Amino acid sequence: METYSVGNKLVLRLFGRSHDESVGCVLEGLPEGMEIDFEGVSRAMELRKPKDGIGTPRKEPDEVLFEDGVVDGKVVGPVTIRIMNRNRRSSSYDGLDVTPRPGHADLPALFKFKDYDVSGGGQFSARLTAPLVAAGAVAQQYLASKGIRVAAYTRSIGNVRDSKDRGFEEAEGSKAFRTRAADASLDSAMSEEILAAAEDGDSVGGVVGCMVVGLPIGFGGIWFDALDVSVARMMFSIPAVKGVEFGKGFGITSMRGSESNDQYCVRDGRIIALSNNMGGVCGGMSDGMPLTFNVAFKPTPSISKRQRTVNLREMRDDYVEVKGRHDPCVVPRAVSVVEAMAAITVMDQDLSFQPDQ
Ligand SMILES: Cc1cc2nc3c(=O)[nH]c(=O)nc-3n(C[C@H](O)[C@H](O)[C@H](O)COP(=O)(O)O)c2cc1C
């Protein structure tokens, strides 16, 4: 079976397709004897599930099976995580191999792979983010034991934007809301935005903000293994991601150096910065401030509105109206995927790049 791998000391191998029997991953390099809190993993899976009205009607129980490498709740070797696909409806995808969906992987995948199975989006499906969230929950447990915590929340959906800079506890608090907004009034405005698009047979995108706190100064690799490089790579691996920015991101280009530099001071015997425009990373390593970044998600490609496409069989212009069960906005569910991918990256960086001592 084909797998897709990433990581230095913590190697993750992802496998499966949307309408296979199961999806999953193998995690190699978890410390032997590490205890796994299965309830914590289930809680993370709940957050990725679609919420009524604003998410896909495809409901999956998402029970996480730790098939190999765990005995009596403790890691004894490479860990295999498997999640069954119980709710498949392949007929909704009939015809998309002839009239590919604009914005989805169909067209390039049909040219690249002879046996590409378009149903459910095949190996490009966000169904594969389910085992990533399970693996991320394990990584978060490892990081928590080192005082490192990760939290993400929704900063915008369509034209509804959170104008405040949120702190860690507010990001954590987004778990109470179905859009993963930082407060109740944004949650209802963002839900409205999603429902309005869905009623039109359309979709919307948005931005997820993420922060990692507790990283010591100097944490991370350099050059091609740098902390920001590795985080960006993992974020761009999430389906539907179109942009990643750290700290002030593109906004930093209109500042002067005297404004953008995060100036240092000593407080209570600790070096801190007076601002965090860099997003906590300099030279690819942590400067001790929270690692903060934003991830931009495009509107869901599968929409029921009639759109132009091509008919590959007859090599002519055609139209497509996508059926099936889709998220009118991927952002609320993507928040837990961003958290998971950040945790997996930071854990690998911790295992791979210890400071000289
Ligand atoms: C959590 C999540 C849920 C998604 N749900 C859907 C969906 O229901 N329908 C769809 O067409 N795309 C969905 N996507 C996006 C597609 O998987 C993605 O656009 C597609 O694989 C093409 O990849 P690309 O957008 O990175 O180019 C979802 C993405 C995420 C992260």
Side-chain angles (χ1 to χ4, degrees):
M1 180 195 320
E2 191 156 11
T3 61
Y4 317 103
S5 2
V6 68
N8 286 300
K9 291 268 167 76
L10 178 70
V11 178
L12 181 145
R13 300 185 203 286
L14 186 64
F15 61 83
R17 291 178 298 182
S18 181
H19 288 181
D20 282 351
E21 286 281 300
S22 64
V23 289
C25 65
V26 179
L27 272 177
E28 290 171 23
L30 290 172
E32 292 229 350
M34 177 185 162
E35 267 188 50
I36 295 190
D37 165 11
F38 299 110
E39 300 233 322
V41 175
S42 303
R43 279 197 299 277
M45 298 307 293
E46 279 304 311
L47 291 168
R48 185 191 158 279
K49 285 185 181 168
K51 303 295 173 289
D52 285 342
I54 62 163
T56 170
R58 176 177 175 182
K59 298 273 188 255
E60 288 280 1
D62 280 351
E63 192 193 334
V64 179
L65 309 170
F66 284 84
E67 278 192 346
D68 270 321
V70 182
V71 174
D72 294 335
K74 290 195 177 131
V75 172
V76 294
V79 171
T80 303
I81 289 173
R82 190 183 293 278
I83 300 170
M84 305 310 290
N85 291 326
R86 305 227 182 256
N87 192 344
R88 293 168 279 169
R89 205 183 279 168
S90 300
S91 59
S92 313
Y93 294 83
D94 286 351
L96 296 181
D97 52 343
V98 180
T99 51
R101 289 169 289 181
H104 214 294
D106 303 345
L107 180 70
L110 285 163
F111 272 69
K112 190 174 176 75
F113 303 109
K114 266 202 195 95
D115 61 346
Y116 178 61
D117 177 9
V118 81
S119 64
Q123 62 271 51
F124 298 93
S125 168
R127 182 77 194 127
L128 277 82
T129 64
L132 292 175
V133 168
V138 173
Q140 291 215 42
Q141 291 168 16
Y142 168 88
L143 294 174
S145 72
K146 305 217 147 195
I148 299 169
R149 295 165 72 206
V150 184
Y153 68 105
T154 300
R155 296 196 64 157
S156 74
I157 284 181
N159 287 308
V160 180
R161 289 187 188 84
D162 188 343
S163 54
K164 298 197 183 120
D165 268 334
R166 303 289 180 169
F168 189 87
E169 297 311 326
E170 287 173 298
E172 272 280 292
S174 74
K175 289 180 177 156
F177 303 112
R178 61 181 186 162
T179 61
R180 297 294 305 267
D183 69 36
S185 76
L186 278 165
D187 181 55
S188 70
M190 286 177 180
S191 296
E192 289 300 312
E193 189 82 344
I194 297 173
L195 294 172
E199 252 171 52
D200 284 348
D202 219 328
S203 61
V204 276
V207 175
V208 174
C210 185
M211 57 200 100
V212 183
V213 296
L215 297 175
I217 297 178
F219 181 95
I222 65 166
W223 276 104
F224 310 113
D225 286 318
L227 182 57
D228 50 356
V229 172
S230 306
V231 167
R233 176 186 178 176
M234 286 293 262
M235 294 303 143
F236 273 114
S237 310
I238 304 173
V241 168
K242 280 294 173 194
V244 179
E245 61 174 9
F246 290 82
K248 284 276 181 287
F250 278 47
I252 212 162
T253 56
S254 57
M255 293 173 151
R256 292 252 174 120
S258 54
E259 279 177 281
S260 66
N261 286 340
D262 298 315
Q263 301 177 46
Y264 302 129
C265 66
V266 178
R267 290 284 178 279
D268 302 324
R270 283 183 56 228
I271 299 169
I272 61 162
L274 295 165
S275 53
N276 192 10
N277 299 324
M278 304 297 157
V281 66
C282 286
M285 300 160 288
S286 171
D287 65 4
M289 295 298 281
L291 176 71
T292 57
F293 55 92
N294 293 324
V295 186
F297 285 86
K298 71 187 193 186
T300 316
S302 301
I303 54 173
S304 58
K305 246 195 167 99
R306 185 168 136 108
Q307 293 200 288
R308 288 186 64 162
T309 185
V310 288
N311 186 309
L312 294 172
R313 201 177 289 147
E314 297 167 16
M315 205 53 189
R316 61 171 172 83
D317 290 5
D318 207 341
Y319 291 92
V320 65
E321 287 162 29
V322 182
K323 298 183 196 66
R325 302 165 297 171
H326 297 280
D327 294 298
C329 179
V330 308
V331 173
R333 303 180 62 203
V335 174
S336 49
V337 185
V338 167
E339 258 171 21
M341 295 292 257
I344 293 164
T345 316
V346 173
M347 176 171 178
D348 183 39
Q349 294 260 307
D350 185 61
L351 293 173
S352 306
F353 310 112
Q354 286 298 316
D356 297 345
Q357 269 328 329

